[in-house]
Amino acid sequence: MPCYAIDGVIPVVSPQAYVHPTAVLIGDVVIEAGAYIGPFATLRADFGGIRIQKNANVQDSCTIHGFPQSVTLVEEYGHIGHGAILHGCIIRKNVLVGINSVILDEAEIGENTIIGANSTVKAKAKIPENSLALGSPAKVMRPLDAKEIVWKSQGTEQYIQLTQRCLRSLHEVEPLSEDSAERLTYQVFDAEYQIKQNS
């Protein structure tokens, strides 16, 4: 992975985390065990720090940055959807930030909350726990029910499993020149995976 020190500050990545080779880490970044950092994510901690806690995921093309003396924090089981931007904010435990959403400086998203896709959370906004918020600027629409929180947790669990799958088997290859009946597909893979997991 492209990993850069600045002013002598070196990123930290747990051996139990997975960071895609195209992701970029700069400076005061700490990524804890079980975390997943997807392709083309940029975590640029050249002013303030970035902390990605255990079992959180930061998906493809996300950007994380912050002002000086800030710490951008994604707590355990945080789920940051494709293309989201986090800037100097706090994402509490088990939050889902939807695809292409923007969370601005000093905003805080409460535990178990879902931020809908394409939403913008204004600077210094406080979104309460167990809420659904969406829009630009994002507004709290209603409390989440227990089924929605379980649904979110199940999605995050898939990314925790993806971290393990990537650590175990993801590697660069040359593509096949044509499809064939022998080539594994995910329908076949999933059946085999379930058998292996259950044995």
Side-chain angles (χ1 to χ4, degrees), residues 159-173:
Y159 270 88
I160 295 169
Q161 293 175 13
L162 178 61
T163 298
Q164 298 306 311
R165 289 169 54 205
C166 289
L167 289 170
R168 183 175 62 247
S169 70
L170 189 137
H171 61 282
E172 190 170 1
V173 297

Side-chain angles (χ1 to χ4, degrees), residues 185-198:
T185 66
Y186 273 104
Q187 187 174 14
V188 173
F189 174 81
D190 285 346
E192 291 180 354
Y193 184 73
Q194 291 300 321
I195 290 168
K196 289 177 185 175
Q197 290 295 101
N198 292 330

Side-chain angles (χ1 to χ4, degrees), residues 26-198:
I26 299 171
D28 190 12
V29 177
V30 178
I31 298 174
E32 296 184 4
Y36 172 89
I37 310 298
F40 301 106
T42 299
L43 286 69
R44 181 164 66 88
D46 46 10
F47 293 139
I50 295 171
R51 303 290 181 266
I52 309 299
Q53 293 188 346
K54 293 179 180 178
N55 299 317
N57 66 80
V58 176
Q59 298 174 19
D60 321 52
S61 301
C62 289
T63 300
I64 303 181
H65 192 241
F67 286 131
Q69 285 79 56
S70 70
V71 175
T72 305
L73 173 64
V74 178
E75 290 190 344
E76 294 181 24
Y77 303 101
H79 190 107
I80 312 304
H82 314 290
I85 298 173
L86 307 183
H87 204 277
C89 56
I90 295 174
I91 308 298
R92 294 293 182 197
K93 185 176 179 180
N94 203 43
V95 164
L96 166 61
V97 174
I99 292 169
N100 284 329
S101 290
V102 178
I103 316 295
L104 293 172
D105 297 274
E106 300 181 45
E108 183 173 344
I109 311 302
E111 188 170 324
N112 297 323
T113 284
I114 294 175
I115 304 297
N118 293 306
S119 296
T120 300
V121 176
K122 296 190 299 185
K124 300 185 179 182
K126 307 297 182 194
I127 305 295
E129 63 185 21
N130 303 310
S131 298
L132 172 65
L134 52 91
S136 187
K139 295 180 180 179
V140 176
M141 306 307 289
R142 59 175 174 79
L144 291 175
D145 62 36
K147 289 182 181 178
E148 290 169 315
I149 294 172
V150 168
W151 170 83
K152 183 274 167 197
S153 297
Q154 289 171 340
T156 302
E157 181 61 34
Q158 290 181 327
Y159 270 88
I160 295 169
Q161 293 175 13
L162 178 61
T163 298
Q164 298 306 311
R165 289 169 54 205
C166 289
L167 289 170
R168 183 175 62 247
S169 70
L170 189 137
H171 61 282
E172 190 170 1
V173 297
E174 290 294 322
L176 301 172
S177 58
E178 59 183 43
D179 203 357
S180 70
E182 291 76 32
R183 186 180 71 85
L184 288 177
T185 66
Y186 273 104
Q187 187 174 14
V188 173
F189 174 81
D190 285 346
E192 291 180 354
Y193 184 73
Q194 291 300 321
I195 290 168
K196 289 177 185 175
Q197 290 295 101
N198 292 330

